[in-house]
Amino acid sequence: MPRPIRATIHSAALHANLERVRRSVPDAKVWAVVKANAYGHGIERVFEGLRGADGFALLDLGEAERLRELGWRGPILLLEGVFEARDLELCSRLGLWHAVHCDEQIDMLAAHKTQAPQRVFLKMNSGMNRLGFAPQRYRSAWARLDALPQVDEISLMTHFSDADGPRGIAQQLERFNAAARDLPGERTLGNSAAILRHATDTQVRADWVRAGIVLYGSAPDFPEHGAGHWGIRPAMTLATRLLGVQRLQAGDTVGYGSLFCAAEPLTIGVAACGYADGYPRHCDTGTPVLVNGVRTRLVGRVSMDLLTVDLTPLERAGVAAGFGSEVTLWGRAAGGALLEIDEVARAAGSVGWELMAALARRVPVAVDSAAHGPGCGSIGAPDR
Ligand SMILES: *Cc1c(COP(=O)(O)O)cnc(C)c1O
């Protein structure tokens, strides 16, 4: 028997989260962002839940190829564009749209012998200072692209640095508009935080939004708001079982470095999950965990394959726990109890994005295709 750890991908939650995005921006077309192997969920596994999107956005040409192999004929956008000239051939062959963020990418296009002209998304650096043309260089880049026979349609794109926080998007919008206002073409501006927090802005709602983390059920502005506030549901559950129980006396310590010391007699459970599964080693004593659906806390240091949890709350609640008991690291317990990935991420000084994307290869993943959503359906066979 394999180790009892398993991740489950909830198709119904993905579907519901996509619907949530559509309610927020009803006039926009929605890119489902599936970079980083669908934020760790697996492109093949999320496809069923997200196939109602208008297009898929990602970074890696191999991931675009996998989407085409799944039968997706709709739009696919390379968010960072091409990395070398021959990528343009694959864009032609697979019908990929691609971002253009620098002169080198325009040079590659100008030298490309294409069968059919390509659709590009010209990216402006409106203040993030990662990729994109500076506002004062944007129009000349647009004119250069417009003159190329290799280019069909030009759409306009920028990315917000602070849609999740108090700085907001106004300043970047202003810069974008000053340089791009009268240029023709579709726009794509908003990420998840903009979709949820700035949905009333007509520009965020325009043409295309790029929904990533919200689709996977993590709140982009946690801890200000949680997933419950936004009405989104976890698309991933990471669960395992207890392999052992230890009864501690006052003064006994737990795990490497003896970081936790029992102040009084205490029963702890030992769960089959560690940092080699993608659970963050930075999680300290106090990080929330569910055992048989009851909320308790991690104690001591997370090791490679195991972590330890306090069973006191279960004893108090009269819930039995022992070898084989269900442990939910994040997501939905069998009985329906919920533990937000954002809470665990915060305990690790991280964010939901990183925890999802770091799910380790050794963890088997199943897809829960039940129509009624997480915790209510049968589980399909692990597919890797
Ligand atoms: C990752 C990414 C997104 C999605 O961001 P979320 O915050 O996960 O919604 C949107 N646009 C670009 C350019 C990205 O790289």
Side-chain angles (χ1 to χ4, degrees):
M1 185 187 165
R3 289 170 72 235
I5 190 164
R6 180 168 67 183
T8 305
I9 308 305
H10 307 292
S11 288
L14 291 162
H15 179 80
N17 295 338
L18 177 59
E19 289 307 302
R20 172 66 183 82
V21 168
R22 290 211 184 276
R23 284 198 300 280
S24 193
V25 288
D27 310 323
K29 289 173 278 187
V30 179
W31 291 113
V33 181
V34 293
K35 63 189 180 187
N37 199 23
Y39 290 45
H41 295 61
I43 288 187
E44 288 77 8
R45 295 184 205 102
V46 301
F47 185 62
E48 181 195 330
L50 296 180
R51 66 187 310 158
D54 298 292
F56 288 92
L58 40 71
L59 309 180
D60 197 82
L61 284 100
E63 294 183 335
E65 224 162 359
R66 280 159 61 196
L67 264 172
R68 289 293 185 230
E69 278 162 16
L70 287 168
W72 177 254
R73 293 171 192 280
I76 298 179
L77 173 62
L78 299 175
L79 288 165
E80 294 177 353
V82 297
F83 303 102
E84 56 177 337
R86 66 172 177 188
D87 294 346
L88 289 169
E89 287 158 33
L90 202 60
C91 289
S92 291
R93 187 153 65 72
L94 298 177
L96 309 181
W97 302 353
H98 48 101
V100 171
H101 63 76
C102 63
D103 290 309
E104 289 79 358
Q105 288 177 325
I106 304 183
D107 296 341
M108 287 186 234
L109 262 170
H112 181 55
K113 293 178 188 44
T114 177
Q115 304 88 333
Q118 302 188 350
R119 176 155 177 185
V120 297
F121 281 64
L122 181 62
K123 182 156 186 182
M124 186 194 296
N125 168 21
S126 57
M128 179 88 165
N129 284 313
R130 281 191 330 190
L131 300 178
F133 289 91
Q136 65 273 19
R137 299 228 29 246
Y138 196 67
R139 302 183 72 86
S140 63
W142 189 92
R144 224 190 131 199
L145 282 174
D146 191 46
L148 291 181
Q150 290 89 343
V151 172
D152 171 20
E153 205 175 323
I154 308 172
S155 302
L156 314 183
M157 173 177 178
T158 196
H159 192 56
F160 297 128
S161 59
D162 288 80
D164 59 333
R167 277 173 72 102
I169 62 173
Q171 195 182 21
Q172 283 187 268
L173 268 182
E174 213 169 283
R175 286 195 196 126
F176 180 80
N177 287 332
R181 193 184 319 265
D182 56 344
L183 289 177
E186 290 194 320
R187 268 77 170 150
T188 176
L189 310 182
N191 57 358
S192 294
I195 292 165
L196 295 174
R197 293 172 65 98
H198 303 283
T200 53
D201 190 293
T202 51
Q203 281 192 280
V204 169
R205 302 161 74 98
D207 301 330
W208 291 89
V209 293
R210 304 188 301 273
I213 196 75
V214 60
L215 296 176
Y216 305 99
S218 156
D221 55 356
F222 190 86
E224 185 181 345
H225 297 113
H229 172 86
W230 294 122
I232 52 176
R233 290 151 55 175
M236 181 195 290
T237 292
L238 180 63
T240 188
R241 297 191 179 281
L242 291 185
L243 298 184
V245 170
Q246 301 291 344
R247 291 175 210 293
L248 309 185
Q249 299 307 312
D252 286 350
T253 61
V254 179
Y256 287 118
S258 299
L259 289 192
F260 177 80
C261 179
E264 53 194 271
L266 183 74
T267 306
I268 61 165
V270 184
C273 175
Y275 59 77
D277 299 302
Y279 191 90
R281 185 174 176 276
H282 287 296
C283 284
D284 249 332
T285 293
T287 303
V289 183
L290 306 179
V291 178
N292 284 341
V294 176
R295 191 178 167 107
T296 180
R297 58 175 183 146
L298 188 93
V299 291
R301 185 177 273 169
V302 174
S303 54
M304 188 181 241
D305 314 303
L306 297 169
L307 56 78
T308 37
V309 298
D310 182 0
L311 295 181
T312 311
L314 285 94
E315 288 163 6
R316 285 207 192 109
V319 176
F323 182 89
S325 289
E326 178 202 38
V327 179
T328 307
L329 290 322
W330 57 72
R332 185 85 65 170
L338 184 68
L339 176 56
E340 285 181 33
I341 192 170
D342 298 318
E343 283 195 74
V344 182
R346 185 163 172 79
S350 183
V351 287
W353 286 267
E354 186 179 19
L355 268 58
M356 292 173 182
L359 184 74
R361 285 191 69 86
R362 79 172 184 181
V363 177
V365 187
V367 177
D368 168 9
S369 303
H372 303 296
C376 305
S378 62
I379 305 295
D383 56 358
R384 76 170 181 201

